[in-house]
Amino acid sequence: MPTTNRHSHDQRSRHSAFTLPSMALVPLALMAVGGGMPAHGKGAAAARTKDQGQKPNILFILCDDMGYGDLACYGQPYIQTPNIDRLASQGMLFTQAYAGSPVSAPSRASLMTGQHTGHCAIRGNREYWSGDVMYGQNHEYAVTGQHPLDTGHVVLPEIMKDRGYTTAQFGKWAGGYEGSVSTPDKRGVDEFFGYICQFQAHLYYPNFLNRFSRSRGDTAVVREVLEQNIGHAMSGEDYRRRTQYSADLIHRRAMEWLDRQEKGKPFFALLTYTLPHAELVQPDDSLVQHYMRQFQQDKNYPGDKGSRYNATMHTHAQFAAMISRLDCYVGELMRELDRKGLSESTMVVFTSDNGPHEEGGADPTFFGRDGKLKGLKRSCHEGGIRIPFIVRWPGHVAPGSVSEHQMAFWDVLPTLYQAIGVDDFASRYARGSEDRFDGLSFLPTLEGRPTEQPIHDHLYWEFGETNQIAVRWGNWKMVVKRGKPALYDLGTDIHEDRDLSAIYPGILKRLIRIVHEEHQESPVFSVTLPKKM
């Protein structure tokens, strides 16, 4: 096993890329209807009867470190996201959706497994590095990646593959290090291109990307060396001469894959784009130039070699352009679905893996990126875990609907499973009596059937790297830091400023009991539980 640490493609010039799209779309109003459930008219109800026997295609777009307030349709005043806003206007926008964790790897594991972090095998960004290999003048690890997903528990691509879907993932894996028991080739993925290791993804102009392609005859994940990039250093001025920009390369590979898909053959793709995670470096194109004009008073960042975040200028412009670049990717995906006549038969989900970051020179305070929520990435306060979540599914989801339904990443797996027509999820895929799933399908919410929607008694998170735990029970929220609990009423205190523990000890006791019921000991990840009352 590698050592552990806890803490030929076509080239694109760094001076070309996207032009900022139209910004005329009015942001969707964040006003809940019908007590948190979407208002559906008779037309939508009738449309749901269409194509009942056809399995939907699924594009699940998971971006990296986009906060609740980073999109115009969620109230962002500075950054233009017309394509994602349009996606929201054509589907349902959730105002109380939660990530699986306040950081990447465990959040993605929750999505993949249908488990919260009290049960999931991955509960932090534990990394494995070993060996040394040279790419040009650059030293790299011979093996790298994160803690593996549990092979004794089914994951989302395996389920889709079992149900007859063609499966793919483009972007970041973070579910096992290279050569481990859990890499895309071993977990139901037919086509993968991107980063196996999320630490490698700190470089947007990397030495290599990873690939697995059944259609090309691959038998395992391999590295595709980026030949132009490796002719230059991984840091300093020479780094700026690299031209093979990973976000574009990954998106282009996803578009090529989508172009090969056919009507009547269901497909499932996880598009785990790395934008807008640091480093704040990208092609110097019209997107960056637009925001440089907008933010004439800007900041610079000196870089952090140990974290692989390179120095950059105009950090506000760079960050805003990264989100608009992602928006351009979403627009291209939607146009490709239209071109191929697949829009009506495809569910599209857009979300983020956790709250906003401040690495690499990012400035969430400037952008108000937490949507007026407390906390950032790595925090179990609302700002670290509440995320944008949008679903477009023609004929099933009413356009322009907004939902206050409380859901989390571990609900996605049973929801998608029910959406493709199978209800006996747990009995079919549990691997032994101790294997469990924590999610509840929110398909009734999507389809406007509020009386059929099961509701969580509570939601649960734990994150040992900052030694925090959180429980949400209705509007009550408990955050535990290093074993000390604090109690908040989100109905009157969305910013979690007033600790009500002394006033409502009975509520606090109940939530502490939930922690002790939900937490299962892990041999790898630890956290301090609050004392029982």
Side-chain angles (χ1 to χ4, degrees), residues 25-33 68 71-75 85 88-89 91-95 399-404:
L25 192 69
V26 178
L28 185 68
L30 291 181
M31 182 177 295
V33 261
Y68 181 81
L71 297 171
C73 57
Y74 278 86
D85 298 346
S89 72
M92 180 176 288
L93 181 149
F94 285 77
T95 63
S401 51
V402 179
S403 175
E404 289 183 339

Side-chain angles (χ1 to χ4, degrees), residues 143-165:
V143 175
T144 185
Q146 279 64 53
H147 193 71
L149 291 160
D150 181 7
T151 57
H153 184 89
V154 72
V155 294
L156 191 49
E158 292 173 329
I159 293 170
M160 290 297 172
K161 189 69 179 170
D162 181 59
R163 304 307 301 173
Y165 276 70

Side-chain angles (χ1 to χ4, degrees), residues 206-465:
N207 297 313
F208 65 90
L209 290 169
N210 297 99
R211 185 196 80 222
F212 173 72
S213 175
R214 294 191 195 280
S215 63
R216 296 190 186 194
D218 291 339
T219 58
V221 172
V222 298
R223 291 183 175 184
E224 287 196 3
V225 179
L226 303 182
E227 297 292 347
Q228 194 282 334
N229 283 357
I230 68 171
H232 303 280
M234 293 166 60
S235 61
E237 283 300 314
D238 195 34
Y239 180 71
R240 300 177 182 276
R241 298 184 178 91
R242 293 189 173 202
T243 63
Q244 291 173 293
Y245 177 57
S246 63
D248 276 0
L249 295 175
I250 290 166
H251 175 62
R252 238 177 295 151
R253 194 68 65 93
M255 292 294 293
E256 292 167 2
W257 178 86
L258 185 58
D259 179 61
R260 297 195 299 270
Q261 304 313 302
E262 302 174 9
K263 279 187 176 182
K265 296 182 179 179
F267 58 82
F268 168 75
L270 280 167
L271 305 176
T272 51
Y273 291 134
T274 53
L275 297 169
H277 194 299
E279 61 182 343
L280 303 184
V281 175
Q282 63 198 303
D284 184 18
D285 58 14
S286 58
L287 288 175
V288 176
Q289 294 300 318
H290 166 80
Y291 285 110
M292 285 178 64
R293 290 190 294 272
Q294 180 172 326
F295 304 122
Q296 294 187 19
Q297 299 296 319
D298 210 335
K299 294 183 177 181
N300 299 328
Y301 174 69
D304 181 350
K305 190 173 182 179
S307 297
R308 293 195 174 185
Y309 297 137
N310 278 285
T312 188
M313 300 175 66
H314 310 291
T315 57
H316 294 158
Q318 290 286 349
F319 175 78
M322 291 172 85
I323 289 185
S324 286
R325 188 177 305 280
L326 176 65
D327 184 78
C328 290
Y329 292 169
V330 171
E332 289 189 348
L333 290 164
M334 297 304 101
R335 287 191 292 274
E336 181 67 6
L337 290 177
D338 288 342
R339 185 187 71 81
K340 294 182 66 66
L342 295 171
S343 292
E344 296 299 308
S345 58
T346 302
M347 175 195 290
V348 179
V349 182
F350 181 91
T351 188
S352 174
D353 63 347
N354 48 249
H357 69 89
E358 52 187 353
E359 291 97 338
D363 188 357
T365 301
F366 173 83
F367 286 101
R369 290 181 56 205
D370 60 357
K372 307 308 176 186
L373 305 175
K374 184 175 185 176
L376 303 173
K377 177 181 178 180
R378 299 184 180 85
S379 169
C380 284
H381 284 290
E382 291 291 287
I385 54 178
R386 194 184 291 208
I387 50 171
F389 198 97
I390 297 165
V391 182
R392 188 192 81 163
W393 190 13
H396 296 259
V397 176
S401 51
V402 179
S403 175
E404 289 183 339
H405 174 63
Q406 295 175 23
M407 51 78 66
F409 268 14
W410 49 94
D411 295 329
V412 169
L413 192 149
T415 302
L416 296 185
Y417 195 63
Q418 192 174 31
I420 67 176
V422 185
D423 290 317
D424 60 337
F425 171 75
S427 62
R428 182 183 294 266
Y429 286 105
R431 297 178 178 177
S433 59
E434 300 300 315
D435 192 15
R436 64 181 295 173
F437 299 91
D438 298 308
L440 295 174
S441 170
F442 54 89
L443 185 66
T445 291
L446 292 177
E447 295 193 329
R449 298 180 278 116
T451 60
E452 301 174 36
Q453 177 61 59
I455 303 296
H456 281 287
D457 177 73
H458 57 267
L459 299 173
Y460 177 84
W461 300 264
E462 62 180 60
F463 181 54
E465 290 168 24

